[in-house]
Amino acid sequence: SGQEKQRLRVMIGKKLYEFFDRPGGKQWMLFAAADHLNSSIGHGGKDHRTLAKLNLTCGQKARFRAAFAPASMYRRQSLFYLRKLDKNPWKTHYDLSYEIYRELSHSELSMGYFEKGNELAQILLKETRTLEEKLSTYWVLAEAKGKQQQHHESLRICQDALVRVTAIPKRMHFFHMKK
């Protein structure tokens, strides 16, 4: 039956993850575990935090192998599980929220999905606590605006970041660009 297949996929996913976590575990086991567990959504036996972290890890490993489309898919899945954890995961799972939003917004912008990437980046800039956490997002946003031939906007983002790090004083922020 369908439920038996789903339970089997959960068991296989959990076992593969256990084998991956042991000495000598292979990378493919991690990806296969995530795929099995992701395919059995809503059939019990899963912890959303663990699945968010698992998919985030898969996304990072896929990116390092230059597999950008799968990396993005795993990151989106990690965001899906993060949002299932809590209505506002930034309050209860700040570090995980920061990692997922940073990874996903940066990859979406880098891959040319500017609207979605910008939406995620704005959430990231709003929710992050420190300037250090925000700086890489400013950089990726400015780079994305440049790719879209929106150089004035790119420059404005860079200037805003420089003002925030006090590299240029606010009173010296004299570039007034026309739209």
Side-chain angles (χ1 to χ4, degrees):
S1 80
Q3 282 189 341
E4 289 174 6
K5 284 182 184 178
Q6 294 301 322
R7 278 195 295 272
L8 181 60
R9 291 202 79 168
V10 169
M11 286 177 16
I12 291 170
K14 285 181 175 183
K15 276 296 177 194
L16 283 168
Y17 186 70
E18 284 177 30
F19 289 144
F20 165 77
D21 220 18
R22 292 181 185 167
K26 306 290 183 202
Q27 293 282 324
W28 69 265
M29 294 174 181
L30 181 71
F31 291 100
D35 292 342
H36 277 286
L37 293 170
N38 289 340
S39 71
S40 55
I41 294 171
H43 294 280
K46 297 178 305 286
D47 167 27
H48 295 302
R49 181 175 168 78
T50 300
L51 290 171
K53 288 173 127 180
L54 173 63
N55 280 281
L56 178 63
T57 302
C58 286
Q60 291 166 334
K61 290 185 180 297
R63 182 194 68 207
F64 290 130
R65 296 185 184 277
F68 298 113
S72 183
M73 185 269 305
Y74 285 116
R75 290 175 177 139
R76 287 180 188 144
Q77 198 67 34
S78 68
L79 182 59
F80 170 79
Y81 289 120
L82 177 70
R83 288 177 173 165
K84 285 188 157 266
L85 283 172
D86 197 312
K87 191 173 186 176
N88 184 359
W90 284 95
K91 287 184 180 175
T92 54
H93 304 283
Y94 181 84
D95 292 336
L96 184 58
S97 297
Y98 170 68
E99 272 192 87
I100 290 171
Y101 272 85
R102 185 193 67 222
E103 291 277 336
L104 185 55
S105 67
H106 292 195
S107 75
E108 296 292 297
L109 288 166
S110 297
M111 290 177 52
Y113 302 125
F114 300 120
E115 190 174 319
K116 185 63 177 172
N118 186 54
E119 176 188 321
L120 293 165
Q122 294 307 316
I123 293 169
L124 184 61
L125 291 172
K126 178 182 160 237
E127 298 292 343
T128 48
R129 297 175 183 157
T130 68
L131 181 59
E132 189 175 271
E133 293 170 333
K134 296 175 192 290
L135 283 177
S136 64
T137 303
Y138 280 120
W139 170 254
V140 173
L141 276 171
E143 193 175 56
K145 292 295 182 184
K147 287 178 183 176
Q148 296 174 75
Q149 303 299 312
Q150 296 177 9
H151 302 294
H152 282 35
E153 184 64 17
S154 177
L155 182 57
R156 187 197 59 75
I157 291 168
C158 290
Q159 288 176 329
D160 286 349
L162 286 171
V163 167
R164 290 177 188 276
V165 296
T166 64
I168 57 174
K170 205 170 201 166
R171 71 183 190 298
M172 298 291 288
H173 190 168
F174 54 84
F175 286 116
H176 299 288
M177 295 169 287
K178 295 178 180 150
K179 291 186 178 186

